[in-house]
Amino acid sequence: MSAEPGDAATGDWPLPARDLAATRAGGPLAGTEVRWSVRFPGGVPATAASAGGTVFAASAAGAVAAVTLSGGEELWRRELGTARYGSGERVSELGFFGGVAVASGVVVVAGDRVHALDAATGATRWESPPLRGLDGASDDYCWGLPVIAGGLVLVGSGSGSQQPIARGRLSAFRLADGALAWSTPLVPPGGNGGSVIGPVSVDLATKEVFVATGSPYAAVAGPNPGTCSLLVLALGDGTIIWQDQVHAGDTRGLDFSGAPVLVGERLFAVNKDGVYAWDRLSRARLWQRQVADPLAGGAESAAPTGGPEGGPLATDGTRLYTLANDGVGGSCVAAALAPADGELLWSTTLPAPSFAAPALAGDRLCVSGADGTVRVLDTASGALVASAALGAPSAAAPLVAGGRLVVGTGAAPYLPGDALVC
């Protein structure tokens, strides 16, 4: 593998958004015939990872496994279990809703803590203490997906019970031994929310980490800074360099939920109310484009079936590709935008909501649907060119490697399905 995961020179997909710029851009597909399926009880709700002909995936029930990309043969499987959050009727057993990252022969997953496993055998290299307790009486859980950069494992967290007892946090562990390098709360004391729901992106040249945060869990007096925000941190020590809060004191669920995307001097991130663009040098917010209204039909707060969900943004450097659900029509709008000004270049309505980011496969855009179908669109026109049935609903973003697309189905207890499908 290259020195840093996600190097464009490789055909691998080792990080949740493929590379450190979060482009989600892979090579072309060989076809759309289902080749293999591997069972994962509880479902695979997030992106798998691929390196050297092996695919690594994690389940909502707490399993991690390695299978061959060519035929889906299982190489190893670890049952790491779930962690309990909440109380009474609000108890949840959480496994891995974040995905997998791989670098230097190490596979990383994160739930209530971070696990580093040997990529060849699945044996534990190291395990961090639980994230709970980093913020006093908090209940931190890693909803976001781990990213490996500069010898560090970067994991974002929020409340496992989604109650106002946690502040969003970004933590960095040393890949070599799991030692905590730094941990930065993204919301000041007295605030809450600001969960990191998606992966981060990283510029190794400037040693900057880009992170987007979610809404407050409960209203507090004032703007509750750090929520609904884009933040830029120093890779070396986690210091917040600058931030921009898009929705102050939000009560409408207008989260940022995916990895910020880096294209040259521009920075893009998707909120529930559309795609936003910044100039990385001047730190100025440039434009915002809404594709579908997250509060359509008079909704008071944004639901998964309204607006963008799952941080749906990808780029080939020429266009930005995004998805937004139509909460009234029960459909999803796929769209291409011009990076310079957000101009809508094309849009295509798909017949089912999508709860995940798309993946680029050469000049094709691949979208996983809640109806259990992967749809493939032409990136130049938005025309539907192919589709494939997965057998169950998907909430996972696909990966593309070696001419194949791999995506999970199911997300217990929210969606049925229990497979990783190639």
Side-chain angles (χ1 to χ4, degrees), residues 29 31-34 350-351 365-367 371-377 383-390:
L29 287 178
T32 52
E33 176 188 350
V34 174
L350 305 177
L365 184 71
C366 306
V367 180
D371 62 346
T373 302
V374 168
R375 293 176 174 87
V376 182
L377 310 180
L384 179 68
V385 295
S387 63
L390 299 174

Side-chain angles (χ1 to χ4, degrees), residues 185-218:
L186 305 177
V187 176
N192 70 85
S195 174
V196 182
I197 306 170
V200 301
S201 52
V202 179
D203 186 333
L204 289 174
T206 62
K207 293 183 170 49
E208 293 175 320
V209 182
F210 302 85
V211 59
T213 64
S215 298
Y217 298 120

Side-chain angles (χ1 to χ4, degrees), residues 31-95:
T32 52
E33 176 188 350
V34 174
R35 290 296 183 91
W36 53 257
S37 177
V38 176
R39 189 165 182 265
F40 279 79
V44 181
T47 318
S50 170
T54 301
V55 176
F56 306 91
S59 78
V64 184
V67 302
T68 62
L69 177 61
S70 59
E73 295 87 4
E74 189 167 305
L75 302 175
W76 55 258
R77 181 179 293 245
R78 292 287 309 278
E79 299 289 346
L80 298 177
T82 61
R84 176 167 291 194
Y85 285 83
S87 60
E89 295 181 354
R90 299 183 64 92
V91 168
S92 298
E93 295 286 343
L94 301 179

Side-chain angles (χ1 to χ4, degrees), residues 73-151:
E73 295 87 4
E74 189 167 305
L75 302 175
W76 55 258
R77 181 179 293 245
R78 292 287 309 278
E79 299 289 346
L80 298 177
T82 61
R84 176 167 291 194
Y85 285 83
S87 60
E89 295 181 354
R90 299 183 64 92
V91 168
S92 298
E93 295 286 343
L94 301 179
F96 300 114
F97 276 84
V100 181
V102 58
S104 303
V106 180
V107 177
V108 177
V109 292
D112 73 321
R113 67 196 71 198
V114 182
H115 301 265
L117 309 178
D118 186 277
T121 66
T124 296
R125 292 279 192 94
W126 54 261
E127 177 184 310
S128 78
L131 295 173
R132 297 187 243 206
L134 289 177
D135 201 12
S138 186
D139 68 342
D140 298 79
Y141 173 81
C142 182
W143 293 101
L145 297 82
V147 169
I148 302 170

Side-chain angles (χ1 to χ4, degrees), residues 102-314:
V102 58
S104 303
V106 180
V107 177
V108 177
V109 292
D112 73 321
R113 67 196 71 198
V114 182
H115 301 265
L117 309 178
D118 186 277
T121 66
T124 296
R125 292 279 192 94
W126 54 261
E127 177 184 310
S128 78
L131 295 173
R132 297 187 243 206
L134 289 177
D135 201 12
S138 186
D139 68 342
D140 298 79
Y141 173 81
C142 182
W143 293 101
L145 297 82
V147 169
I148 302 170
L152 297 174
V153 176
L154 303 169
V155 294
S157 59
S159 169
S161 61
Q162 302 192 55
Q163 298 297 305
I165 56 176
R167 300 179 290 167
R169 178 179 289 274
L170 186 66
S171 303
F173 299 84
R174 291 196 319 218
L175 179 62
D177 58 11
L180 181 65
W182 50 262
S183 185
T184 301
L186 305 177
V187 176
N192 70 85
S195 174
V196 182
I197 306 170
V200 301
S201 52
V202 179
D203 186 333
L204 289 174
T206 62
K207 293 183 170 49
E208 293 175 320
V209 182
F210 302 85
V211 59
T213 64
S215 298
Y217 298 120
V220 297
N224 203 350
T227 60
C228 305
S229 298
L230 172 81
L231 299 98
V232 182
L233 282 66
L235 179 62
D237 61 9
T239 301
I240 297 175
I241 300 170
W242 63 274
Q243 59 184 297
D244 183 15
Q245 186 176 41
V246 171
H247 296 294
D250 176 58
T251 59
R252 298 171 294 169
L254 299 181
D255 293 312
F256 282 101
S257 61
V261 174
L262 310 180
V263 183
E265 296 177 357
R266 294 289 175 91
L267 169 64
F268 307 93
V270 62
N271 186 281
K272 287 291 284 185
D273 71 340
V275 179
Y276 286 78
W278 288 263
D279 184 298
R280 294 170 56 193
L281 300 182
S282 69
R283 305 177 181 177
R285 197 189 308 170
L286 302 176
W287 55 259
Q288 181 256 352
R289 168 69 68 174
Q290 185 176 100
V291 174
D293 184 0
L295 304 175
E300 294 184 359
S301 62
T305 52
E309 183 69 16
L313 198 60

